[in-house]
């Protein structure tokens, strides 16, 4: 499989995530869009790691690192969203006033 196909899929996933991040008003939708963008980056890291065919597995190691960061980001983000929902009874990012100065 040519690497250009994988990179195209990665770019499409990243663009869909970026579009979702800009359009969505729900905080959960924004978190899901960020996850989509991180998964696109993971796809590119693994594709380049396998394309270069080096004895080191740097691309895969970076992908595991990004997956770990994404899990931590999701946990912290969901905790913030749950706390905001308990206080304001909605998760619309435009209407959230708890984190504004």
């Amino acid at each position: 499989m040519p690497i250009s196909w994988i990179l195209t899929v990665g770019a499409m996933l990243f663009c869909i995530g970026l579009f979702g991040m800009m359009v969505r008003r729900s905080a959960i939708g924004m978190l899901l869009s960020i996850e989509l963008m991180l998964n696109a980056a993971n796809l590119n890291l693994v594709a380049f790691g396998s394309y270069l065919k080096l004895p080191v597995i740097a691309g895969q190691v970076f992908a595991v690192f990004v997956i770990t960061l994404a899990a931590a980001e999701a946990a912290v983000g969901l905790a913030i969203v749950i706390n905001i929902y308990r206080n304001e009874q909605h998760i619309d990012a435009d209407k959230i006033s708890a984190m504004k100065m």
Side-chain angles (χ1 to χ4, degrees):
M1 179 181 299
I3 192 168
S4 62
W5 293 4
I6 300 171
L7 295 179
T8 302
V9 170
M12 288 172 42
L13 280 176
F14 189 85
C15 289
I16 291 170
L18 185 64
F19 179 74
M21 183 69 190
M22 292 188 314
V23 171
R24 294 275 183 153
R25 294 183 179 204
S26 167
I28 299 290
M30 290 176 153
L31 286 174
L32 289 174
S33 298
I34 290 171
E35 293 293 324
L36 201 57
M37 289 191 288
L38 290 173
N39 284 330
N42 282 340
L43 187 63
N44 287 338
L45 286 171
V46 171
F48 279 120
S50 65
Y51 178 73
L52 294 177
K53 297 181 180 172
L54 296 173
V56 294
I57 53 171
Q60 289 83 358
V61 170
F62 279 128
V64 170
F65 183 70
V66 171
I67 289 170
T68 306
L69 283 177
E73 172 263 333
V76 171
L78 284 176
I80 291 172
V81 168
I82 289 171
N83 196 14
I84 288 172
Y85 183 76
R86 284 183 183 167
N87 291 334
E88 299 190 11
Q89 303 299 321
H90 64 83
I91 53 172
D92 190 355
D94 291 336
K95 296 178 183 174
I96 293 173
S97 63
M99 298 181 72
K100 292 181 182 174
M101 297 183 123

